[in-house]
Coordinates of all heavy atoms in Angstrom, one line a residue:
L239 N 21.8 0.7 -24.0 CA 23.1 0.8 -23.3 C 24.2 -0.1 -24.1 O 25.3 0.3 -24.1 CB 23.0 0.3 -21.8 CG 22.2 1.2 -21.0 CD1 22.0 0.7 -19.6 CD2 22.8 2.6 -20.9
A242 N 25.4 2.0 -26.9 CA 26.3 3.0 -26.4 C 27.6 2.4 -26.2 O 28.7 2.9 -26.7 CB 25.9 3.6 -25.1
A243 N 27.6 1.2 -25.6 CA 28.9 0.5 -25.4 C 29.6 0.0 -26.7 O 30.9 0.1 -26.8 CB 28.7 -0.8 -24.5
V246 N 31.2 3.3 -28.3 CA 32.3 3.8 -27.7 C 33.6 2.9 -28.0 O 34.7 3.4 -27.8 CB 32.1 4.0 -26.1 CG1 32.1 2.7 -25.4 CG2 33.0 5.1 -25.6
I292 N 23.9 11.0 -31.8 CA 24.7 10.9 -30.5 C 25.6 9.6 -30.7 O 26.8 9.7 -30.3 CB 23.8 10.7 -29.3 CG1 22.9 11.9 -29.1 CG2 24.6 10.4 -28.0 CD1 21.8 11.7 -28.2
G295 N 28.6 10.4 -32.8 CA 29.5 11.2 -32.1 C 30.3 10.4 -31.1 O 31.6 10.6 -31.0
L296 N 29.7 9.5 -30.4 CA 30.3 8.6 -29.5 C 31.4 7.8 -30.2 O 32.5 7.6 -29.6 CB 29.2 7.7 -28.9 CG 29.4 7.2 -27.5 CD1 29.6 8.4 -26.5 CD2 28.1 6.5 -27.0
I299 N 34.3 10.1 -30.7 CA 35.0 10.7 -29.5 C 35.6 9.5 -28.7 O 36.6 9.7 -28.0 CB 34.0 11.5 -28.7 CG1 33.5 12.7 -29.5 CG2 34.7 12.0 -27.4 CD1 32.4 13.4 -28.9
L300 N 35.0 8.4 -28.7 CA 35.4 7.2 -27.9 C 35.4 7.4 -26.4 O 36.3 6.9 -25.7 CB 36.7 6.7 -28.4 CG 36.8 6.4 -29.9 CD1 38.2 5.9 -30.3 CD2 35.8 5.3 -30.4
E301 N 34.5 8.2 -26.0 CA 34.4 8.4 -24.5 C 33.0 8.4 -24.1 O 32.2 9.2 -24.6 CB 35.1 9.6 -24.0 CG 35.2 9.7 -22.6 CD 35.6 11.0 -22.0 OE1 35.9 12.0 -22.8 OE2 35.5 11.2 -20.8
L302 N 32.6 7.5 -23.2 CA 31.2 7.5 -22.7 C 31.2 7.9 -21.2 O 31.6 7.2 -20.4 CB 30.6 6.1 -22.8 CG 29.2 5.8 -22.4 CD1 28.2 6.7 -23.1 CD2 28.8 4.3 -22.6
T303 N 30.6 9.1 -21.0 CA 30.4 9.6 -19.6 C 29.1 9.1 -19.1 O 28.1 8.8 -19.8 CB 30.5 11.1 -19.6 OG1 29.4 11.6 -20.4 CG2 31.8 11.6 -20.1
P304 N 28.9 9.1 -17.7 CA 27.6 8.7 -17.2 C 26.5 9.7 -17.7 O 25.4 9.2 -17.9 CB 27.9 9.0 -15.7 CG 29.3 8.7 -15.5 CD 30.0 9.2 -16.7
R305 N 26.9 10.9 -17.9 CA 25.9 11.9 -18.4 C 25.3 11.4 -19.8 O 24.2 11.4 -20.1 CB 26.5 13.2 -18.5 CG 25.6 14.3 -19.1 CD 26.2 15.6 -19.0 NE 25.7 16.6 -20.0 CZ 25.9 17.8 -20.0 NH1 26.6 18.4 -19.1 NH2 25.3 18.6 -20.9
I306 N 26.3 11.0 -20.7 CA 25.8 10.6 -22.1 C 25.1 9.3 -22.0 O 24.1 9.0 -22.7 CB 27.0 10.5 -23.0 CG1 27.7 11.8 -23.1 CG2 26.6 10.0 -24.4 CD1 26.9 12.9 -23.7
S307 N 25.5 8.4 -21.1 CA 24.9 7.1 -20.8 C 23.4 7.3 -20.5 O 22.5 6.7 -21.0 CB 25.6 6.4 -19.8 OG 24.9 5.1 -19.5
D308 N 23.2 8.3 -19.6 CA 21.8 8.6 -19.2 C 21.0 9.2 -20.4 O 19.8 8.8 -20.6 CB 21.7 9.6 -18.0 CG 21.9 8.9 -16.7 OD1 21.9 7.7 -16.6 OD2 21.9 9.6 -15.7
L309 N 21.6 10.0 -21.1 CA 20.9 10.6 -22.3 C 20.5 9.5 -23.3 O 19.4 9.5 -23.7 CB 21.9 11.6 -23.0 CG 21.2 12.3 -24.2 CD1 20.0 13.1 -23.8 CD2 22.2 13.2 -24.9
I310 N 21.4 8.6 -23.5 CA 21.1 7.5 -24.5 C 20.0 6.6 -23.9 O 19.0 6.2 -24.5 CB 22.4 6.7 -24.8 CG1 23.3 7.6 -25.6 CG2 22.0 5.4 -25.6 CD1 24.6 7.0 -25.9
A311 N 20.2 6.2 -22.6 CA 19.1 5.3 -22.0 C 17.7 6.0 -22.0 O 16.7 5.3 -22.0 CB 19.5 5.1 -20.5
S346 N 22.6 15.9 -9.8 CA 23.4 15.6 -11.0 C 24.2 14.3 -10.9 O 25.2 14.1 -11.5 CB 24.3 16.8 -11.4 OG 23.5 17.9 -11.6
Q347 N 23.8 13.4 -10.0 CA 24.5 12.1 -9.9 C 24.0 11.2 -11.0 O 23.0 10.4 -10.8 CB 24.2 11.4 -8.6 CG 24.9 12.0 -7.4 CD 24.7 11.2 -6.2 OE1 24.9 10.0 -6.1 NE2 24.2 11.8 -5.1
F348 N 24.5 11.3 -12.2 CA 24.0 10.6 -13.4 C 24.0 9.1 -13.1 O 24.8 8.6 -12.2 CB 24.9 10.9 -14.5 CG 24.8 12.4 -14.9 CD1 25.8 13.2 -14.6 CD2 23.6 12.9 -15.6 CE1 25.7 14.6 -15.0 CE2 23.5 14.2 -15.9 CZ 24.6 15.1 -15.6
Q349 N 23.1 8.4 -13.6 CA 22.8 6.9 -13.5 C 22.2 6.6 -12.2 O 21.7 5.4 -12.1 CB 24.1 6.2 -13.7 CG 24.7 6.4 -15.1 CD 25.9 5.6 -15.4 OE1 26.9 5.5 -14.6 NE2 25.9 5.0 -16.6
I389 N 19.4 19.0 -17.7 CA 20.2 18.0 -18.3 C 19.7 16.6 -17.9 O 19.3 16.4 -16.7 CB 21.6 18.0 -17.8 CG1 22.3 19.4 -17.9 CG2 22.5 16.9 -18.4 CD1 22.4 19.8 -19.4
T390 N 19.5 15.7 -18.8 CA 18.8 14.5 -18.6 C 19.6 13.6 -17.6 O 20.8 13.4 -17.7 CB 18.7 13.6 -19.9 OG1 17.9 14.4 -20.8 CG2 18.0 12.3 -19.7
T391 N 18.9 13.0 -16.6 CA 19.5 12.1 -15.6 C 18.6 10.9 -15.6 O 17.5 10.9 -16.2 CB 19.5 12.7 -14.2 OG1 18.2 13.0 -13.8 CG2 20.3 14.0 -14.1
T392 N 19.0 9.8 -14.9 CA 18.1 8.7 -14.7 C 18.1 8.3 -13.2 O 19.0 8.6 -12.5 CB 18.4 7.4 -15.5 OG1 19.6 6.9 -15.1 CG2 18.4 7.7 -16.9

Side-chain angles (χ1 to χ4, degrees):
L239 293 174
V246 81
I292 299 168
L296 209 53
I299 298 168
L300 303 178
E301 190 195 350
L302 179 59
T303 60
R305 172 172 162 172
I306 300 297
S307 175
D308 274 357
L309 179 62
I310 291 174
S346 300
Q347 285 184 57
F348 296 101
Q349 297 181 316
I389 309 293
T390 301
T391 60
T392 67

